[in-house]
Amino acid sequence: MKTDVIKRAEVFAAIVISLLILFLLIVRARHAGGLWRDECATMRLATIPTSVAMSWSFPFPLLLSLIVRVHSSLFGISDLSLRCLGVGTGVALIGVAWLSARWTRGGAPLILLSVLGLNATFLTWGTTIRGYGLGSVAIVLAVSLAARVLNNPTRANLIALLLTFLAGPQLLVHDAALMLAIASAAIAVCVIRRRWKLALILLVMAGVTILSCLPFLVLNVPGNSNIVLKYPTSFAGLWYNFKIACGPPQWLAPMVWSALVCVALGGAIYRLAATRRAPPSRESNLLLFGISVVVISAATYFVFLRVLNYWPHPWYYLPLLGVMAAAIDLIIGTLSTFRGAGFARLVFAIAISPVLAFATWPKLIERQTNMDMIAHSLEENAAPSDLIVVNPWDRGVSFNWYYHGSARWVTVPMMSEYRIHRYDLLKAKMMSANPLDDLFESIAQTLRSGRQVWLVGGAQWLKPGEIPHWLPPAPNSEFGWNNDAYRNSWSQQLGAFLQQHVEQAEISPAPGISVNEVEKEPVWRLAGWHE
């Protein structure tokens, strides 16, 4: 059995790791700077009247909207205030990790805190004003509550689990798939143990969760405007981006996660085989559930991403990392009461934590965007009669949030709404035969009058003799509804137009020393016109 010395050492190490996570969260909040475009869209959707959001036909997680709205009402919408909300997300993960350990097996959540709490993807993307961080916290809570229900199915525990199932997708739509996977894992344990009544209750809870997610299914109806977000995905591509989501160092972190999964599953299977003739116990229930969660969640989420068919950004994997970390922590924590397993777990956490913290530091001190800096600079330097052009169009969401100057501004292509990502308007532009004519006319009028054009994001400058790639209206091109292909085509057409007509082009590097590449934009100053 585990000695008291190791128990105290585990608790002490977990407390130190928790404080380290808190320190890194504060560092991130101080350096993250302005909100990037997805965060700005979240703020708009969370703070505008519900009737306006519904007129956009844009289902939005209600609980996330409520949290952001309440926080904004109490503490304002300054960048620092909203970054503090990200710190709160990290604190919530620490609290849920400790609760999970106490509810399921006692002890300290060493694995969960070290591999998820110190994960660069969580510390950077999980603390943004999006649902990925809070959604991951809800997933961890669901795993611990489901494990608690299996060994103590009281009415209070069942209600708490149901509320978590319902809350998860209202923080992050991606949670829906994993909540069903967790429910399926718990049902599988009940079937193996022939606990039919509890299995039926969990099945009903899963059905209620599915019903609560029906509004989000509207987004995936064939022909909907989100068709412009669809990309052909493969298992190889999904796996590649999952390894990136495991965080730095890239040569080590994916191997650490893979090793933990193998050790957890191997140890749990070995222990269950050794005790197969023993009566069902709390320990065997937790091990069976942990195995089921790891296997079912991984398979379910990769199928979900294939069906969703969006480009799998690393932050998409945060809920999966959350459920895997919670299940691995549950299994290894349960096994750590035997022989040297507890000591090995302690040594692993102590060894890996400083490595992950050091590796994630460069990402923590990056600004999330430089669009706030650009907007403030143009407020000072752009004359009221100048024209500001933001390329590509989606950067207009963050520019709209920060820019309060008097100069007129448009995007590539020009649209009528910039508060959120209006993919319906983008789809219409992609279907247009001449989507940039109005933009070219606005640029020409400004330059002919002797005023300046400020180009945020630049354009694709063509080599001598090179011609822009013109695409027919979607979906009649070789690229179908691939919006990136049209974005590149429009940028080339803009570059060719400017090279043909602009007399002076001053190209400045992107402002900001260390800025995340997802929104690191240069600014061009254009003047003069010739036919």
Side-chain angles (χ1 to χ4, degrees):
M1 296 298 291
K2 198 187 315 183
T3 66
D4 290 339
V5 173
I6 293 181
K7 286 182 180 179
R8 288 194 293 269
E10 285 182 348
V11 172
F12 178 76
I15 291 174
V16 172
I17 295 173
S18 299
L19 293 175
L20 177 59
I21 295 170
L22 181 59
F23 168 72
L24 296 179
L25 288 168
I26 295 172
V27 170
R28 180 56 186 162
R30 286 175 55 86
H31 289 84
L35 310 182
W36 79 298
R37 55 187 179 273
D38 281 10
E39 295 179 284
C40 295
T42 298
M43 290 301 301
R44 291 295 189 192
L45 286 167
T47 54
I48 62 174
T50 304
S51 58
V52 176
M54 292 182 65
S55 70
W56 287 334
S57 299
F58 195 95
F60 189 67
L62 296 178
L63 185 54
L64 176 63
S65 177
L66 178 62
I67 291 172
V68 174
R69 190 181 293 250
V70 170
H71 179 89
S72 301
S73 299
L74 294 176
F75 305 107
I77 58 172
S78 69
D79 292 341
L80 181 59
S81 167
L82 295 172
R83 293 306 174 201
C84 288
L85 181 57
V87 175
T89 300
V91 172
L93 176 66
I94 295 172
V96 167
W98 281 95
L99 280 176
S100 175
R102 179 178 179 181
W103 285 345
T104 54
R105 67 194 181 279
L110 286 171
I111 303 298
L112 178 56
L113 288 175
S114 57
V115 300
L116 183 61
L118 294 173
N119 177 276
T121 307
F122 178 82
L123 289 170
T124 54
W125 296 106
T127 55
T128 58
I129 310 303
R130 298 282 284 166
Y132 296 101
L134 288 173
S136 303
V137 174
I139 285 293
V140 173
L141 182 61
V143 171
S144 63
L145 284 171
R148 186 174 173 87
V149 162
L150 287 173
N151 284 316
N152 188 22
T154 64
R155 180 178 299 179
N157 288 339
L158 286 167
I159 292 175
L161 179 59
L162 175 60
L163 292 177
T164 305
F165 280 167
L166 296 175
Q170 297 302 327
L171 290 168
L172 179 66
V173 178
H174 298 60
D175 273 15
L178 290 176
M179 292 299 180
L180 295 179
I182 294 168
S184 300
I187 292 170
V189 175
C190 291
V191 170
I192 293 172
R193 298 303 192 205
R194 301 182 183 277
R195 300 170 66 181
W196 307 114
K197 181 178 179 181
L198 182 56
L200 180 59
I201 293 173
L202 291 169
L203 184 62
V204 171
M205 292 167 62
V208 172
T209 303
I210 293 174
L211 289 176
S212 72
C213 297
L214 288 180
F216 301 119
L217 297 180
V218 176
L219 290 175
N220 241 23
V221 172
N224 197 289
S225 59
N226 78 325
I227 194 173
V228 302
L229 295 172
K230 300 291 185 177
Y231 286 85
T233 56
S234 64
F235 178 79
L238 294 175
W239 177 248
Y240 174 79
N241 283 281
F242 172 76
K243 290 192 294 183
I244 294 176
C246 290
Q250 284 298 307
W251 61 269
L252 176 64
M255 290 191 296
V256 168
W257 279 90
S258 299
L260 285 173
V261 170
C262 292
V263 168
L265 293 182
I269 293 171
Y270 176 82
R271 179 59 183 167
L272 288 172
T275 59
R276 63 185 180 278
R277 290 189 172 85
S281 64
R282 180 178 179 277
E283 175 200 350
S284 61
N285 285 341
L286 292 178
L287 294 178
L288 274 174
F289 176 65
I291 293 171
S292 301
V293 167
V294 170
V295 174
I296 297 175
S297 294
T300 299
Y301 202 68
F302 275 93
V303 170
F304 167 77
L305 291 178
R306 286 297 303 273
V307 172
L308 184 67
N309 226 25
Y310 289 3
W311 179 255
H313 297 288
W315 51 89
Y316 280 16
Y317 294 93
L318 270 178
L320 179 60
L321 293 178
V323 74
M324 299 294 281
I328 292 169
D329 194 67
L330 175 67
I331 293 172
I332 295 180
T334 302
L335 295 173
S336 66
T337 56
F338 298 95
R339 298 178 183 176
F343 180 73
R345 181 177 73 137
L346 176 62
V347 170
F348 167 82
I350 293 174
I352 199 65
S353 294
V355 174
L356 296 180
F358 181 79
T360 196
W361 185 266
K363 301 300 296 182
L364 296 184
I365 60 176
E366 279 186 348
R367 287 180 60 87
Q368 197 68 31
T369 179
N370 67 350
M371 196 60 74
D372 56 330
M373 303 171 68
I374 292 172
H376 297 153
S377 174
L378 290 177
E379 288 174 4
E380 297 177 356
N381 297 311
S385 54
D386 286 350
L387 176 68
I388 300 171
V389 179
V390 180
N391 182 38
W393 68 277
D394 57 357
R395 272 58 167 181
V397 176
S398 47
F399 190 79
N400 179 68
W401 179 260
Y402 284 107
Y403 183 70
H404 306 291
S406 55
R408 175 176 173 242
W409 68 275
V410 296
T411 61
V412 183
M414 292 172 62
M415 293 187 180
S416 59
E417 174 64 64
Y418 297 115
R419 286 178 288 182
I420 67 168
H421 300 93
R422 290 291 301 274
Y423 295 110
D424 56 333
L425 301 180
L426 174 63
K427 182 181 178 183
K429 283 291 184 178
M430 291 171 62
M431 296 173 67
S432 171
N434 302 292
L436 301 185
D437 282 0
D438 50 356
L439 172 66
F440 291 161
E441 181 60 28
S442 295
I443 293 174
Q445 288 180 0
T446 303
L447 295 178
R448 285 192 185 112
S449 67
R451 306 310 303 174
Q452 298 181 118
V453 172
W454 302 83
L455 179 56
V456 178
Q460 291 192 32
W461 223 241
L462 303 182
K463 298 177 182 178
E466 186 179 4
I467 60 174
H469 191 187
W470 293 77
L471 297 178
N476 300 319
S477 78
E478 59 186 297
F479 300 101
W481 290 108
N482 187 323
N483 80 84
D484 276 352
Y486 282 83
R487 175 184 300 187
N488 291 334
S489 172
W490 293 334
S491 187
Q492 288 180 12
Q493 293 174 46
L494 176 60
F497 177 82
L498 297 177
Q499 285 176 285
Q500 181 180 357
H501 296 291
V502 171
E503 293 184 343
Q504 301 175 19
E506 179 184 314
I507 301 176
S508 302
I513 298 175
S514 180
V515 183
N516 195 302
E517 292 294 334
V518 298
E519 199 164 275
K520 181 181 181 180
E521 310 301 335
V523 180
W524 296 8
R525 186 179 64 84
L526 311 173
W529 173 267
H530 62 80
E531 297 296 341

